[in-house]
Amino acid sequence: MPYYSKLSRHFQLTENSLGSHGIQPSLITAAFPQASPQALKTSEETLKKVAAISSSPCMVKENMVRRVAIVGAGVTGLGSIKCCLEEGLQPTCFERSDDLGGLWRFTEHVEEGRASLYKSVVSNSSKEMSCYSDFPFPEDYPNFIPNDLYLKYLKMYAKQFNLLKCIQFKTEVYSVTQCSDFDDSGQWEVVTVHEGKQNSAIFDAVIVCTGFLTNPNLPLSSFPGINTFKGQYFHSREYKHPDIFKDKRVLVVGMGNSGTDIAVEASRLAKKVFLSTTGGAWVISRVFDSGYPWDMVFMTRFQNGFRNFLPTPIVTWLIAKKMNSWFNHANYGLIPEDKTQLREPVLNDELPGRIITGKVLIKPSIKEVKENSVIFNNTPKEETIDIIVFATGYTFHFPFLDESVVKVEDSQASLYKYIFPAHLRKPTLAVIGLIKPLGSIIPTGETQARWVVQVLKRVSKLPSPSVMIEEVNERKKNKHSGYGLDYCKPLQADYIPYIDELLTAINAKPNLFSMLLTDPRLALTIFFGPCTPYQFRLVGTGKWKGAREAIMTQWDRTFKVTKTRTVQESPSRFEILLKLFSFLVFLVAVFLIFL
């Protein structure tokens, strides 16, 4: 193509550079079918026509994102691969370990750069609430899933949608940097290391799916005297089995889910177990009202809307009343000091029983650590300790990204909607799963990825960087509206409104008002029933034809694994009258709404 070559020399651009800008040979020759190389070199019309071509619809199509690098093959990485494939993109996933699964793949030893779990971990979200939105868990799986079955499910998902072909295992991402022409192309150079060999490739976009449970937070300076301690201490990330606690006096510092699990496990073998907490926590069982999974009762559109309608003090009082209906937290030394700001509840079915039998003792924060003992605040007595487990959480960072791309400050990053770096000129880098919703991370991360792909395809458009930066800064101020639950901790989000916001951006949010006229049974199930992920696939982009059936049969799958002994039950006359009365009240309410 002589015209193309002359033009490239004139602008001192390489053929690849022109191609990256979408200036193809066929377009140049089409614009100047009769021009000589000399004319191309000197004509001002050349510049004008090339500019016109580069902004044409044809050019936009040529510049559209195609190649996408995905970092991490955990639950959000797998969902991101599938979303890319569904929309015709070409994903390449880099996974530093030798298998998929991320957090849910148990190993006997801690692996650098990968989340770690202990052998007994069971999911805190029920299977109907935590599956991918178009791939339910097998119906014979228990409602709360052990880590080995969870990993098996992820492998079934990868096989079902042919995701393994896109994953490069044992490949660490060394760096992700903007190309020199990033402001025009939005492209990234990704440098990886596989078996000691470094490779580099150019991608149109990057999706980061590394999570935030890889860098243990171990604030030893907050524990005076820890350097003199002669026993053993370690972060909960290193814990695998309870055998190490046999006949020992154990102290667990931190009352999150991991700390509580470890304390309960240790109490079966240890001589004595102390659980130290600074602020306390609400403890709930996975088995909630009438034996239902807790999140299928708590996470409904009706309940969420009702909570957000009420002033926060009333919601706080109602939550406290509900939490104390299992046991009085004050009597067990567990009641949260700050009951206004929402803290993730601790899911543990055994802790109250371990406390009431003296197997676990709740203690305040640590005042001082000595050679073989610990002194707690407000308690002068020294307690002999052999092992200290620090369940003090995690920090996160992105070692392969420069701080100019994603900067982490005060346990949060400047990400628009917890996804896009707000300041970038081109929205071609996204972070998936860096959020702490009250709901499950799988449907949250999957919905994020669905939106990201639409942004990359330019179907969904982001606001200007200035508008995004302003919104991010407002979120960091942690201003609370005064209604509903107070989500003021870093990375916290109200699950259902957040998901609905993303669904709206991709035209996939179900319209309950119109559905009430066309499919009232489904509409009522969606509104009053659990907010299961299948709702996110009913309409619009990514619609799944099995979504309605999955919603209408969700309770069948829930009870199939618990009703292993069939019992014939006939409803009482009172139950029949109560249901009839409830239905009549509902009809009156609907009539008044549409009157």
Side-chain angles (χ1 to χ4, degrees):
M1 294 289 179
Y3 308 145
Y4 182 67
S5 300
K6 287 287 184 181
L7 187 64
S8 68
R9 284 198 297 271
H10 176 65
F11 290 116
Q12 296 183 335
L13 295 169
T14 64
E15 223 171 279
N16 287 338
S17 180
L18 279 175
S20 71
H21 286 77
I23 302 175
Q24 304 298 322
S26 58
L27 293 176
I28 300 298
T29 54
F32 308 102
Q34 306 298 327
S36 66
Q38 186 63 30
L40 284 175
K41 181 178 179 181
T42 57
S43 175
E44 290 184 4
E45 186 182 359
T46 302
L47 299 177
K48 294 179 181 178
K49 289 199 174 186
V50 169
I53 293 168
S54 64
S55 62
S56 70
C58 181
M59 183 58 65
V60 170
K61 185 176 180 181
E62 291 289 344
N63 264 343
M64 189 164 48
V65 168
R66 291 296 181 192
R67 299 189 66 211
V68 181
I70 297 173
V71 187
V75 294
T76 56
L78 294 175
S80 297
I81 297 171
K82 177 178 175 289
C83 290
C84 287
L85 292 174
E86 283 179 332
E87 295 297 327
L89 304 184
Q90 301 165 12
T92 301
C93 179
F94 301 107
E95 168 57 45
R96 67 183 298 161
S97 68
D98 60 0
D99 202 355
L100 57 79
L103 168 69
W104 291 102
R105 185 169 66 85
F106 172 79
T107 56
E108 289 290 346
H109 303 286
V110 176
E111 296 180 8
E112 183 185 356
R114 195 176 73 83
S116 177
L117 52 73
Y118 38 98
K119 184 66 174 177
S120 60
V121 163
V122 175
S123 67
N124 287 333
S125 296
S126 63
K127 66 178 183 180
E128 293 300 315
M129 299 292 285
S130 60
C131 61
Y132 291 105
S133 57
D134 56 356
F135 194 72
F137 279 95
E139 60 180 15
D140 59 345
Y141 270 38
N143 284 299
F144 293 94
I145 304 163
N147 61 83
D148 57 339
L149 286 181
Y150 221 114
L151 179 61
K152 186 177 179 181
Y153 166 76
L154 295 177
K155 291 188 173 182
M156 287 189 291
Y157 180 77
K159 182 179 180 181
Q160 173 71 24
F161 298 106
N162 198 20
L163 308 183
L164 290 175
K165 67 180 182 181
C166 302
I167 305 175
Q168 295 183 15
F169 292 107
K170 296 183 180 180
T171 304
E172 179 183 356
V173 174
Y174 178 76
S175 68
V176 175
T177 55
Q178 297 175 352
C179 289
S180 58
D181 63 343
F182 177 82
D183 286 349
D184 294 320
S185 68
Q187 292 181 323
W188 300 84
E189 181 182 10
V190 179
V191 178
T192 58
V193 178
H194 175 71
E195 296 180 348
K197 183 180 178 182
Q198 199 171 90
N199 298 287
S200 175
I202 303 299
F203 288 89
D204 299 315
V206 176
I207 301 177
V208 179
C209 303
T210 52
F212 52 85
L213 298 176
T214 56
N215 305 300
N217 177 39
L218 195 57
L220 296 180
S221 60
S222 301
F223 303 95
I226 187 66
N227 293 329
T228 67
F229 185 63
K230 291 186 176 180
Q232 181 183 5
Y233 67 85
F234 56 88
H235 191 272
S236 57
R237 168 178 163 79
E238 299 179 40
Y239 171 70
K240 295 294 180 179
H241 301 279
D243 304 358
I244 58 171
F245 301 133
K246 186 173 176 58
D247 298 327
K248 303 290 185 181
R249 295 173 66 87
V250 180
L251 167 62
V252 180
V253 181
M255 198 185 159
N257 283 300
S258 295
T260 306
D261 282 352
I262 293 170
V264 167
E265 283 199 356
S267 69
R268 300 190 186 105
L269 296 172
K271 186 179 296 185
K272 204 164 193 178
V273 175
F274 301 91
L275 178 57
S276 170
T277 174
T278 301
W282 294 123
V283 180
I284 64 175
S285 173
R286 292 176 176 85
V287 184
F288 218 56
D289 296 349
S290 301
Y292 300 141
W294 79 271
D295 49 355
M296 295 185 76
V297 175
F298 190 81
M299 301 299 296
T300 73
R301 292 182 178 275
F302 170 73
Q303 290 223 34
N304 194 82
F306 180 68
R307 285 192 293 267
N308 290 339
F309 175 76
L310 297 175
T312 298
I314 296 177
V315 175
T316 301
W317 178 79
L318 290 172
I319 292 290
K321 186 175 177 61
K322 183 62 185 175
M323 296 297 109
N324 284 322
S325 65
W326 184 24
F327 67 95
N328 189 314
H329 283 61
N331 293 340
Y332 284 66
L334 296 172
I335 193 164
E337 288 185 1
D338 185 353
K339 294 185 283 293
T340 302
Q341 288 195 356
L342 178 71
R343 179 185 167 185
E344 182 184 3
V346 172
L347 271 291
N348 195 283
D349 307 306
E350 301 180 56
L351 181 62
R354 307 311 286 179
I355 295 174
I356 205 170
T357 56
K359 301 295 184 182
V360 174
L361 284 80
I362 305 300
K363 291 290 184 179
S365 58
I366 295 173
K367 181 179 180 180
E368 184 182 357
V369 180
K370 296 193 173 183
E371 288 186 355
N372 299 296
S373 62
V374 166
I375 300 176
F376 297 99
N377 283 308
N378 304 320
T379 53
K381 180 185 175 182
E382 289 187 27
E383 297 288 354
T384 302
I385 299 295
D386 301 308
I387 300 176
I388 302 177
V389 182
F390 289 100
T392 45
Y394 294 83
T395 60
F396 65 90
H397 72 291
F398 306 101
F400 48 84
L401 285 173
D402 188 81
E403 280 196 355
S404 63
V405 178
V406 177
K407 187 175 183 179
V408 178
E409 289 182 310
D410 301 323
S411 301
Q412 55 187 325
S414 297
L415 300 174
Y416 179 66
K417 305 301 182 188
Y418 300 96
I419 300 173
F420 289 101
H423 64 285
L424 291 183
R425 292 282 299 275
K426 296 285 186 179
T428 55
L429 184 136
V431 181
I432 302 294
L434 192 62
I435 185 174
K436 294 179 181 178
L438 196 54
S440 170
I441 195 62
I442 283 187
T444 303
E446 182 192 30
T447 308
Q448 288 180 326
R450 290 171 64 189
W451 181 47
V452 166
V453 168
Q454 296 304 312
V455 170
L456 296 180
K457 291 183 64 181
R458 304 181 184 178
V459 175
S460 184
K461 192 173 182 180
L462 297 183
S464 66
S466 61
V467 171
M468 292 192 288
I469 290 171
E470 183 179 355
E471 181 172 320
V472 169
N473 290 336
E474 279 298 311
R475 189 187 75 218
K476 287 182 177 180
K477 292 178 182 177
N478 290 336
K479 289 183 178 179
H480 181 53
S481 65
Y483 291 85
L485 294 171
D486 187 359
Y487 295 91
C488 286
K489 300 293 184 183
L491 305 183
Q492 283 187 336
D494 194 352
Y495 176 67
I496 294 177
Y498 177 73
I499 292 288
D500 279 350
E501 188 176 7
L502 300 183
L503 292 176
T504 299
I506 60 173
N507 298 315
K509 180 187 174 185
N511 187 324
L512 294 186
F513 288 105
S514 61
M515 190 180 294
L516 193 61
L517 300 176
T518 58
D519 195 342
R521 187 181 172 209
L522 177 61
L524 295 177
T525 301
I526 290 174
F527 186 66
F528 290 104
C531 187
T532 47
Y534 321 121
Q535 297 183 15
F536 314 152
R537 293 278 184 174
L538 280 168
V539 296
T541 304
K543 179 179 177 180
W544 174 45
K545 64 180 180 181
R548 186 188 188 281
E549 182 182 358
I551 293 170
M552 303 309 294
T553 57
Q554 57 199 9
W555 287 111
D556 295 337
R557 289 187 298 278
T558 300
F559 295 132
K560 179 176 175 124
V561 289
T562 58
K563 296 177 72 171
T564 53
R565 170 177 169 261
T566 304
V567 178
Q568 295 295 328
E569 292 182 281
S570 55
S572 66
R573 184 176 300 174
F574 173 76
E575 288 176 329
I576 295 173
L577 291 174
L578 182 62
K579 289 181 179 179
L580 180 60
F581 176 75
S582 300
F583 181 68
L584 290 173
V585 169
F586 170 75
L587 288 180
V588 171
V590 172
F591 176 77
L592 292 174
I593 290 173
F594 289 98
L595 189 62

